[in-house]
């Protein structure tokens, strides 16, 4: 089974799992959402919104593929592109942060570390871009059914497990924050640990055979 994380594009929208393909909770304010008539119109609004963000701000999401099929994704944008966030009691988002609006993993693939992989991909993208200090998200403390992330909010316990800390407490929708400086340190520590592990399990190389005096142009010396 192969898995990889790629940038979210408009072409991915039709194939994304879960309820977010036509959900406009973050993308539109309540009044404009109420004027959208039916799923086809909602899908068109979603595509137009994503196209605008990609054109004006750049990469704003990551998709995890398992055997080349999308099974999860995250979306993150500057707060100005998410008017739906204004109604939360823990709003507004800090001026030095982008907002993680959506994180979804297909229930059939939950528990395999794909959520963490997506968050790492997001953090890596924002660190490379520079000028962004943190990522914030409105978490939910309401227990989710099984492992499905069907809500428009990301579970607070998941956010806490991938490096977010409570920034503004609330019984139901705490605003949580991950400093990208901490994410960079965390990434470096993970990579260093992997390198140490590889060093432990890597077999000792066999002694190289004595080289003949043939020139590099002769057969066998490639």
């Amino acid at each position: 089974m192969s898995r990889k994380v790629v940038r979210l594009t408009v072409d991915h929208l039709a194939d994304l799992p879960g309820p977010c393909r036509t959900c406009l909770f973050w993308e539109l304010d309540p009044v404009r959402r109420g004027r959208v008539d039916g799923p086809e119109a909602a899908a068109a609004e979603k595509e137009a919104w994503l196209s605008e963000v990609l054109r004006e701000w750049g990469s704003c999401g990551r998709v995890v593929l398992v055997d080349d099929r999308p099974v999860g994704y995250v979306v993150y944008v500057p707060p100005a592109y998410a008017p739906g966030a204004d109604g939360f009691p823990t709003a507004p988002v800090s001026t030095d942060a982008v907002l993680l609006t959506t994180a979804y993993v297909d229930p059939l693939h939950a528990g395999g570390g794909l959520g963490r992989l997506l968050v790492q991909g997001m953090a890596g993208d924002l660190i490379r871009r520079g000028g962004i200090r943190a990522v914030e998200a409105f978490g939910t403390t309401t227990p989710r059914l099984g492992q499905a992330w069907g809500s428009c909010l990301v579970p607070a316990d998941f956010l806490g497990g991938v490096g977010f800390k409570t920034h503004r407490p609330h019984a139901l929708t705490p605003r949580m924050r991950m400093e990208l400086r901490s994410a960079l340190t965390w990434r470096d520590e993970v990579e260093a640990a992997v390198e140490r592990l590889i060093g432990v399990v890597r077999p000792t190389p066999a002694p190289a055979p004595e080289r003949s005096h043939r020139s590099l142009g002769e057969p066998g010396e490639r």
Side-chain angles (χ1 to χ4, degrees), residues 12-163:
H12 287 122
L13 285 180
D15 298 322
L16 292 180
C20 299
R21 287 174 291 181
T22 57
C23 176
L24 298 170
F25 176 83
W26 299 103
E27 293 81 358
L28 301 179
D29 61 69
V31 174
R32 291 181 61 195
R33 283 202 306 270
R35 296 172 180 166
V36 178
D37 185 17
E40 290 186 3
E45 285 282 353
K46 187 86 168 193
E47 181 175 331
W49 176 86
L50 179 58
S51 297
E52 179 184 7
V53 177
L54 291 172
R55 181 176 62 253
E56 296 183 356
W57 188 65
S59 177
C60 64
R62 288 293 184 270
V63 178
V64 62
L65 306 176
V66 173
D67 294 336
D68 295 324
R69 185 173 67 87
V71 299
Y73 47 93
V74 292
V75 180
Y76 46 93
V77 293
Y81 291 102
D86 295 340
F88 284 95
T90 50
V93 175
S94 302
T95 57
D96 63 349
V98 300
L99 175 64
L100 170 63
T101 61
T102 305
Y104 181 87
V105 173
D106 188 311
L108 295 176
H109 294 270
L114 298 183
R116 178 179 291 271
L117 197 64
L118 286 165
V119 171
Q120 289 173 340
M122 172 189 68
D125 173 38
L126 296 175
I127 289 168
R128 286 189 295 271
R129 293 169 69 156
I132 301 169
R133 291 187 57 186
V135 181
E136 294 187 358
F138 295 98
T140 175
T141 59
T142 304
R144 61 186 186 272
L145 297 176
Q147 295 296 318
W149 299 359
S151 169
C152 292
L153 303 182
V154 184
D157 58 351
F158 168 78
L159 291 171
V162 295

